[in-house]
Amino acid sequence: MQKKFYITTTAPYVNSDPHIGFALEIIQADTIARYHRLLGEEVIFGFGTDEHGLKIYRKALEEKLTPQKYCDQSVGTWNDLKQALNLSYTHFIRTTDKHHLEAAQELWRRCLKKGDIYKKTYKSKYCVGCELEKTDSELENGRCPIHPNIEIELIEEENYFFKFSKYQKPLVEFYEKNPDFVVPRSKFQEIKTFVKSGLQDFSLSRLKNKMPWGVPIPDDPEQVMYVWFDALTFYISNLGWPKEEKKFKDFWPGIQVAGKDNLRQQTAIWQAMLMSGDLPNSKQIFIHGFMTKDGKKISKSLGNTVDPAELVRQYGTDSVRYFLLAKIHPFNDSDFTIQLFEEAYNADLANGLGNLVSRVAKMAEKEELMGIEMTEFSEPNELFNYLNNYEFNLALEVLWQEFRQLDQVIAKDKPWEKTSHEKKDLLVGYITNILNLNHWLKIFLPETAEKIEKIFSGSKIKIDQGLFPRL
């Protein structure tokens, strides 16, 4: 029976266009999805948009639109990522979709039935950027360190609360039983420390007359769901839960990819919600670092974003994919500059892989060699190990070392000095090596891998233009 695999990104807010920080996340998830498909597994790769909450509501008011109209207009730029970044996601859901609303309401009913939802009046400090309540200890100079340009707001109202405190012990036990639940280990240690230090119940709703843009709470027309309760349900509503029971059981639990500012929500809040709803916990959470620009986090709220679509227009899809996977550290913060990007492009793509393929193809074309069809490929266990640990940079380094070694072999062999027969034998060996490596390159740079396969697998080997023109 074919093995099932489910991976999903977070659901980004639609209040501004995609930036390169999210492009990193979705390309990482796409790479893992392609890897598991190449291993012969049936893969569901989920993506979607988060369309409720205070900042969406305020943005719609700013633009004199209804929130739904605003979301309908904004969602297109997120769907455009599929072509721009050559993504292979299979499932896309909006949190305004009817099915998602029904899933969020069903999870609410389950948590309520479990006795984990109650009402109380409270005061809190609130960061609209995070859509999270903040304690004084989490603020720096009275502001959220993640959104320092947004003023903290004071909220006082009667809302529903979730008994997060009840799940401190179950979460600690779950972490102990699943030592690889969060990658990297430093982030796992961080969330374990947070949970062990004590959990506070948190607000689950907002008064509809103050903030009407949210999922209606079952049997209470005066309140709407707090955006995080609604948004986190996206991970299972995207699988058709609760209606499509078989698909849900086949593919859940899955793997979630998220940024480090999502650590608490993904690895503690969401896990407690699943426990409350008597649903299996997530399989694993991969937490990636921030991308920075001039040492500052790339962020919509700071206005220092880099447009991935514009990079693609200038340099091509696989150039962007390569840089984000090979040169951005999977766990730590990494700085982005055009200079670093262009240096990597010229060194590794134009002068590296592109030059290797061109020189071999041109020699083969001159010798009128026929294309080679390959059906079996050697498995690079080192590359697999790195991918299983989300170490995309090291996995690509394995492939590039092989490409560099082949370049060195060609320089040593000097096929241009050989007889035609000797040259052909050597070229067949080079091409076989390239095609073997190219099979695994499909995981990372699918468009480039397709071009290489076409060059060397046709009836006659022929190359019209280089893969990566030098800048």
Side-chain angles (χ1 to χ4, degrees):
M1 186 176 172
Q2 194 177 19
K3 192 176 176 184
K4 316 284 188 194
F5 181 82
Y6 177 46
I7 188 165
T8 172
T9 63
T10 52
Y13 287 116
V14 294
N15 62 316
S16 60
D17 292 341
H19 65 73
I20 201 163
F22 185 73
L24 170 69
E25 179 174 310
I26 202 165
I27 287 171
Q28 288 172 333
D30 183 71
T31 300
I32 297 297
R34 289 179 184 275
Y35 166 51
H36 283 269
R37 278 195 205 99
L38 211 55
L39 295 180
E41 298 172 25
E42 184 181 353
V43 173
I44 288 181
F45 172 16
F47 172 40
T49 46
D50 186 355
E51 301 183 13
H52 290 123
L54 192 56
K55 58 183 169 184
I56 300 289
Y57 179 63
R58 287 180 176 172
K59 191 75 176 174
L61 291 180
E62 263 179 49
E63 302 201 7
K64 296 180 172 57
L65 295 170
T66 65
Q68 187 64 60
K69 185 75 174 171
Y70 171 77
C71 291
D72 291 345
Q73 287 185 8
S74 303
V75 75
T77 56
W78 294 92
N79 264 319
D80 291 345
L81 284 180
K82 187 161 196 174
Q83 183 175 353
L85 301 177
N86 196 3
L87 304 171
S88 63
Y89 61 82
T90 57
H91 289 55
F92 182 92
I93 197 168
R94 300 172 59 184
T95 59
T96 51
D97 288 347
K98 183 174 180 284
H99 168 71
H100 174 79
L101 267 63
E102 291 170 350
Q105 289 172 329
E106 173 60 22
L107 185 58
W108 178 282
R109 290 187 189 98
R110 291 189 182 202
C111 296
L112 184 67
K113 188 178 178 182
K114 195 81 169 280
D116 291 340
I117 295 177
Y118 65 96
K119 236 180 183 182
K120 80 167 183 178
T121 301
Y122 77 111
K123 292 180 183 178
S124 81
K125 293 178 180 178
Y126 191 76
C127 172
V128 176
C130 293
E131 295 276 18
L132 282 176
E133 293 154 22
K134 298 288 179 176
T135 61
D136 288 336
S137 64
E138 292 174 301
L139 303 177
E140 293 177 6
N141 300 317
R143 294 193 174 229
C144 169
I146 298 172
H147 300 97
N149 60 326
I150 299 175
E151 283 192 23
I152 291 292
E153 299 188 13
L154 298 176
I155 292 177
E156 182 176 1
E157 59 184 66
E158 184 182 49
N159 293 149
Y160 288 95
F161 272 68
F162 180 71
K163 288 185 182 176
F164 196 30
S165 55
K166 172 181 168 182
Y167 289 93
Q168 180 179 353
K169 188 179 177 185
L171 282 169
V172 170
E173 289 173 352
F174 172 71
Y175 298 153
E176 286 173 354
K177 288 176 185 173
N178 297 274
D180 299 317
F181 177 61
V182 179
V183 177
R185 290 189 183 279
S186 59
K187 290 298 167 192
F188 199 12
Q189 189 55 50
E190 188 179 321
I191 197 62
K192 285 192 281 190
T193 300
F194 169 76
V195 171
K196 285 176 182 176
S197 68
L199 300 177
Q200 301 295 316
D201 296 353
F202 60 85
S203 170
L204 269 194
S205 68
R206 295 289 179 264
L207 285 172
K208 191 171 183 178
N209 61 8
K210 288 186 181 178
M211 208 294 290
W213 188 234
V215 178
I217 285 175
D219 307 316
D220 190 343
E222 294 182 359
Q223 304 254 351
V224 296
M225 283 183 202
Y226 168 58
V227 65
W228 276 106
F229 188 92
D230 153 31
L232 289 166
T233 310
F234 136 89
Y235 293 114
I236 54 177
S237 66
N238 219 353
L239 287 174
W241 183 88
K243 290 181 178 177
E244 296 184 52
E245 196 174 326
K246 185 181 185 304
K247 186 199 284 185
F248 178 70
K249 285 184 176 176
D250 282 348
F251 285 92
W252 186 259
I255 289 171
Q256 295 164 213
V257 182
K260 65 180 185 179
D261 54 343
N262 261 254
L263 177 67
R264 192 179 305 179
Q265 297 92 310
Q266 310 296 325
T267 63
I269 292 175
W270 173 229
Q271 304 312 314
M273 286 166 56
L274 287 165
M275 290 173 178
S276 180
D278 293 320
L279 295 167
N281 286 99
S282 306
K283 184 178 181 181
Q284 192 174 54
I285 316 284
F286 160 52
I287 300 289
H288 61 80
F290 285 153
M291 287 188 67
T292 59
K293 188 180 178 186
D294 304 319
K296 293 179 181 176
K297 181 199 167 192
I298 293 177
S299 160
K300 291 178 280 194
S301 59
L302 294 176
N304 64 343
T305 60
V306 176
D307 181 0
E310 183 55 37
L311 277 181
V312 166
R313 281 189 286 273
Q314 286 189 50
Y315 302 97
T317 297
D318 277 358
S319 307
V320 175
R321 289 180 66 105
Y322 178 78
F323 183 81
L324 294 179
L325 293 168
K327 304 303 177 181
I328 299 299
H329 195 281
F331 310 136
N332 303 335
D333 293 354
S334 301
D335 210 44
F336 175 89
T337 68
I338 288 296
Q339 183 184 345
L340 288 172
F341 183 94
E342 291 189 345
E343 283 173 2
Y345 176 97
N346 277 328
D348 297 352
L349 298 176
N351 298 333
L353 176 63
N355 184 57
L356 171 67
V357 168
S358 290
R359 69 194 295 213
V360 172
K362 282 173 183 173
M363 285 190 285
E365 190 177 341
K366 195 173 179 182
E367 294 299 318
E368 297 185 338
L369 279 183
M370 304 293 286
I372 297 172
E373 297 292 336
M374 288 181 64
T375 54
E376 291 185 13
F377 305 91
S378 60
E379 295 191 354
N381 291 324
E382 189 181 11
L383 183 143
F384 290 177
N385 289 337
Y386 287 135
L387 281 176
N388 290 336
N389 291 313
Y390 310 100
E391 294 173 299
F392 308 99
N393 54 338
L394 299 179
L396 272 169
E397 184 56 30
V398 169
L399 280 180
W400 252 254
Q401 280 178 352
E402 294 287 341
F403 288 133
R404 290 186 200 108
Q405 283 176 8
L406 182 55
D407 251 334
Q408 291 167 6
V409 167
I410 294 169
K412 186 180 177 184
D413 288 345
K414 298 180 181 177
W416 49 88
E417 294 180 359
K418 308 291 184 186
T419 65
S420 179
H421 180 73
E422 290 172 327
K423 192 189 295 184
K424 284 178 181 177
D425 282 348
L426 287 171
L427 287 169
V428 167
Y430 305 153
I431 293 164
T432 302
N433 196 341
I434 289 171
L435 287 175
N436 185 65
L437 295 171
N438 190 62
H439 180 72
W440 305 109
L441 186 67
K442 291 175 187 176
I443 296 168
F444 310 94
L445 311 183
E447 190 180 296
T448 300
E450 192 178 320
K451 288 177 183 176
I452 292 171
E453 198 168 288
K454 192 175 178 182
I455 289 166
F456 293 116
S457 303
S459 56
K460 271 192 176 181
I461 294 173
K462 184 174 175 59
I463 184 164
D464 296 318
Q465 58 185 26
L467 298 175
F468 298 99
R470 286 185 183 86
L471 299 177

